Amino acid sequence: MPKNQNTFSSLAALRRRIASRAVHAGWRWMQQAGAVTAQHPGRLRFGAIGEGTRLAFPQGTVFGEHWIRLGAHCIIAEQVTLTAGMMPDLDLGADPVLVLGNGVVLGRGSHVIADARIAIGDDTFCGPGVYITSTNHSYDDPHEPVGRQWPRSAPVEIGPGCWLGTGAVILPGAKLGRNVVVAAGAVVRGEVPDHAVVAGAPARVVRRWEPETGWQPPLRTPAPVPIPDGMTPEQLRGLALLAEAEQSP
């Protein structure tokens, strides 16, 4: 290859590296600057936003913020939709419509659509793409397009400590108890008792914990070993390396 062609190739590669680094640095800056917190709410004026709560940038669709209350130390990932009311600029009254407790996590691309009240309890975690809605389409009139028929709404309540897997759907009127596990892709309606695991579409209880009998059916994996008090991260990493060494041939 001629010398001048090598030079041009090297210059093109250098320009590409510089441009790539600039783009990534700029994006990281935008992620930091565009995040929403109580101290830096940007254009959003929530009814309440607790200490340590952060909405990652870029945000999804957000409207009706005056009727949305976010607890402390919530993590709202990128492209999460949070809406109160059927459309922006409605007067929804004095009471909040969408309430997140403390420590709630909403995974990337999740949607919480609150036309009627939605309440999510403390320390509930949602995987990516979870859809929670208090309004559903009606299809009573067979001669009218479904999208043109007036929807039906019913409050949704999700208890504290729940886990909603990737792609789970929570429909209007659902009421989940404490520490409920919703399997990925499950579609939940109606009431779910405390300490239950639900799966399927429509979701049904596939496992439940009772004080007298424990988990039924029994868990197929051993119970996790609690971390001893006072254990440091360095000691935990050392134990992990020791376990890997013992398992290797």
Side-chain angles (χ1 to χ4, degrees), residues 37-104:
T37 64
Q39 293 75 27
H40 303 283
R43 65 175 179 81
L44 300 175
R45 295 294 182 267
F46 290 102
I49 178 168
E51 178 186 1
T53 287
R54 182 182 179 91
L55 285 75
F57 177 87
Q59 292 89 38
T61 301
V62 179
F63 62 75
E65 315 88 275
H66 183 75
W67 292 273
I68 299 175
R69 295 185 181 176
L70 310 177
H73 304 290
C74 295
I75 300 174
I76 315 297
E78 297 177 13
Q79 298 290 356
V80 169
T81 294
L82 297 172
T83 64
M86 288 189 178
M87 61 188 69
D89 303 322
L90 296 178
D91 186 349
L92 304 178
D95 297 327
V97 177
L98 172 55
V99 178
L100 270 60
N102 298 327
V104 171

Side-chain angles (χ1 to χ4, degrees), residues 171-191:
L171 293 177
K175 184 176 181 181
L176 279 63
R178 175 183 296 271
N179 283 30
V180 169
V181 175
V182 178
V187 179
V188 182
R189 61 183 304 172
E191 189 164 347

